[in-house]
Amino acid sequence: MQNKELILNKILIIVFAMLLTLPALLFKITGDIDLGRNYEEKRVLASLPDKFNSDYFKNFAVYVNDHAFYRQTIITLNNIINQKCIDFYDRYINRKLFALLPPVWYKETDEYKQGIPYFVSAYHPKVIYGKENWLFMRNLNSLRNYKGQNLLSEQQMSDWKDLYEKLDNYCRQKGISLAIMIIPNKSHVFSEYMPPYKIITENKREIALSNYLKENSKINFIYPLNELKSANKLHYTYYKQDSHWNYFGSYIGTISLYKQLGIPYIPAEQLKITEKPDYGGDLCNMCGYMNSGVDFVVDYKPEIKAEIIKNTDDFYSASIEKSISNGRKIVMVGDSYMKFFFPYLSKDFFSTKLYSLRAFEDKELFAAINELEKDDILFVESSERYDEKEHMPTIKRLIKIFDN
């Protein structure tokens, strides 16, 4: 009996010794295994402690953990498995749960106002579930922007102003007007439906930028937050479960553009606006269910029939007879909000060309800008969430087009 126990103990010691030494031997031969992905940590790994003190063994343990054999391979493999599990859950389980289970009310105290219950979404990390089934975007700095956490520094605002003015000077030399619009995030326009997050400052990113430009520049910069919030008394200006504004909201944006440039406009109250069913939306699609909402169709100048030359996701072009237009041409560069302007601009301008900032060719846009004459307009639009990622690179790209 004792011999059997002795043999078993020896086997256990040998197995334990192999577990300690084999990884080192294999790692010496193979190194970390390339799994086709890179999940390197964005930190400096612990170094071997060189002084013996009360924290020596604690620091040594951290060093061993940071330099364990196949550590990088295990981290990468863990991330791959986790992502596959998340993808499987989101595709096959999450969407079904969303349709069956209502969102849950509960309290939070670290990120939100203390003790106030709110509606949250556990169904998609990029979506905020607001009050009364309103959905809002969480990613692309949208939430940080709403809280007032990502303000531009004085130097950044000055740098942006300089770029705007450089492009504006090019336009003035050509005799055309430059207008720049940043469309507010939906969470700013419908803050009453947002969860009760702690707000650091009400003087948020684009509000501060707009005020800075008004005080320090003559740029035609438009941030129509107040106009959109006021118009909500008439109709909603954004889709309830999509991140974009609707066609009524875009008409309010068009009025803001016209006011800034001194172009006559028709007040929204004087137009026929019809409510119609609307299905789907980027935010509800992320959450895995079909929205049944409403849109508002603005019956704008029905007597004018614009000739649609091209109408795609990346390029819109139309013309009308010069005698019934305002006699001007407009070239617009914008993002996914751009298409909402088309029904209005195409009935006011002699020539209307809208280019997606994500798809335009420099030569093609240069030719369109080159056709602009005195009093014509170059209009650059961007949604607030893409102001730094796409809008400013577009401004620089337009400057480069003029430079050439």
Side-chain angles (χ1 to χ4, degrees), residues 91-140:
R91 180 175 297 181
Y92 298 106
I93 301 174
N94 186 40
R95 298 186 179 195
K96 291 182 174 59
L97 286 178
F98 192 93
L100 295 174
L101 302 176
V104 180
W105 286 87
Y106 68 94
K107 295 182 179 181
E108 188 65 59
T109 58
D110 55 350
E111 190 177 22
Y112 301 84
K113 293 178 182 176
Q114 188 169 359
I116 299 178
Y118 65 101
F119 231 6
V120 300
S121 173
Y123 310 109
H124 200 287
K126 295 180 180 180
V127 178
I128 297 170
Y129 207 107
K131 302 171 186 177
E132 299 181 21
N133 293 330
W134 280 77
L135 299 182
F136 300 89
M137 186 164 281
R138 179 188 296 273
N139 63 324
L140 298 172

Side-chain angles (χ1 to χ4, degrees), residues 13-201:
I13 291 171
I14 292 171
V15 170
F16 182 71
M18 289 176 65
L19 289 173
L20 292 176
T21 57
L22 277 179
L25 293 173
L26 290 172
F27 185 77
K28 190 72 175 175
I29 298 170
T30 66
D32 270 310
I33 300 171
D34 184 6
L35 297 175
R37 302 190 188 186
N38 182 16
Y39 284 104
E40 292 183 3
E41 296 170 90
K42 296 179 180 179
R43 67 181 182 91
V44 178
L45 300 182
S47 56
L48 183 67
D50 55 358
K51 292 183 179 180
F52 189 83
N53 51 34
S54 59
D55 293 327
Y56 178 84
F57 291 106
K58 176 183 176 182
N59 294 334
F60 182 77
V62 173
Y63 168 78
V64 170
N65 287 335
D66 273 5
H67 297 272
F69 304 117
Y70 293 109
R71 183 174 184 276
Q72 190 59 55
T73 303
I74 293 169
I75 289 174
T76 303
L77 187 61
N78 177 68
N79 278 279
I80 291 172
I81 292 171
N82 283 344
Q83 189 59 53
K84 287 187 177 297
C85 290
I86 290 170
D87 290 344
F88 177 85
Y89 176 82
D90 185 59
R91 180 175 297 181
Y92 298 106
I93 301 174
N94 186 40
R95 298 186 179 195
K96 291 182 174 59
L97 286 178
F98 192 93
L100 295 174
L101 302 176
V104 180
W105 286 87
Y106 68 94
K107 295 182 179 181
E108 188 65 59
T109 58
D110 55 350
E111 190 177 22
Y112 301 84
K113 293 178 182 176
Q114 188 169 359
I116 299 178
Y118 65 101
F119 231 6
V120 300
S121 173
Y123 310 109
H124 200 287
K126 295 180 180 180
V127 178
I128 297 170
Y129 207 107
K131 302 171 186 177
E132 299 181 21
N133 293 330
W134 280 77
L135 299 182
F136 300 89
M137 186 164 281
R138 179 188 296 273
N139 63 324
L140 298 172
N141 279 321
S142 297
L143 182 53
R144 295 182 69 242
N145 190 316
Y146 177 75
K147 293 179 181 180
Q149 291 177 319
N150 65 337
L151 301 180
L152 293 168
S153 68
E154 189 87 11
Q155 185 60 54
Q156 285 176 305
M157 291 191 289
S158 177
D159 292 343
W160 286 25
K161 177 184 75 71
D162 291 345
L163 289 170
Y164 287 151
E165 288 181 340
K166 187 172 183 178
L167 181 57
D168 187 57
N169 287 334
Y170 276 129
C171 291
R172 289 177 184 273
Q173 291 171 19
K174 189 173 173 57
I176 63 178
S177 297
L178 171 68
I180 297 170
M181 179 182 292
I182 293 184
I183 298 172
N185 287 339
K186 177 182 171 182
S187 53
H188 294 318
V189 182
F190 291 93
S191 56
E192 65 270 27
Y193 294 107
M194 283 285 285
Y197 292 107
K198 291 179 181 177
I199 304 300
I200 296 173
T201 176

Side-chain angles (χ1 to χ4, degrees), residues 168-316:
D168 187 57
N169 287 334
Y170 276 129
C171 291
R172 289 177 184 273
Q173 291 171 19
K174 189 173 173 57
I176 63 178
S177 297
L178 171 68
I180 297 170
M181 179 182 292
I182 293 184
I183 298 172
N185 287 339
K186 177 182 171 182
S187 53
H188 294 318
V189 182
F190 291 93
S191 56
E192 65 270 27
Y193 294 107
M194 283 285 285
Y197 292 107
K198 291 179 181 177
I199 304 300
I200 296 173
T201 176
E202 293 296 342
N203 190 34
K204 299 173 186 178
R205 184 182 178 93
E206 254 67 35
I207 295 175
L209 175 63
S210 180
N211 291 334
Y212 178 84
L213 292 173
K214 286 177 182 177
E215 294 173 3
N216 297 281
S217 178
K218 295 182 180 179
I219 294 293
N220 290 315
F221 182 84
I222 307 150
Y223 180 64
L225 175 61
N226 293 331
E227 292 87 342
L228 290 164
K229 293 181 77 169
S230 295
N232 287 332
K233 299 172 185 176
L234 187 60
H235 299 290
Y236 287 149
T237 52
Y238 285 65
Y239 294 108
K240 191 172 182 178
Q241 298 185 334
D242 188 282
S243 63
H244 296 84
W245 62 10
N246 55 33
Y247 282 99
F248 174 66
S250 68
Y251 184 67
I252 301 303
T254 302
I255 290 176
S256 300
L257 171 68
Y258 288 0
K259 282 183 178 179
Q260 183 68 35
L261 296 177
I263 298 173
Y265 64 91
I266 303 173
E269 294 83 357
Q270 296 180 18
L271 295 173
K272 179 183 177 182
I273 300 172
T274 307
E275 182 178 315
K276 74 166 190 174
D278 179 72
Y279 302 98
D282 55 5
L283 298 178
C284 65
N285 289 342
M286 287 181 191
C287 296
Y289 73 98
M290 180 61 71
N291 166 45
S292 178
V294 296
D295 197 358
F296 298 97
V297 179
V298 180
D299 193 17
Y300 186 68
K301 296 187 177 180
E303 71 281 3
I304 297 179
K305 305 298 180 185
E307 179 188 355
I308 308 300
I309 299 170
K310 195 168 184 181
N311 188 343
T312 68
D313 288 339
D314 297 330
F315 178 65
Y316 300 80

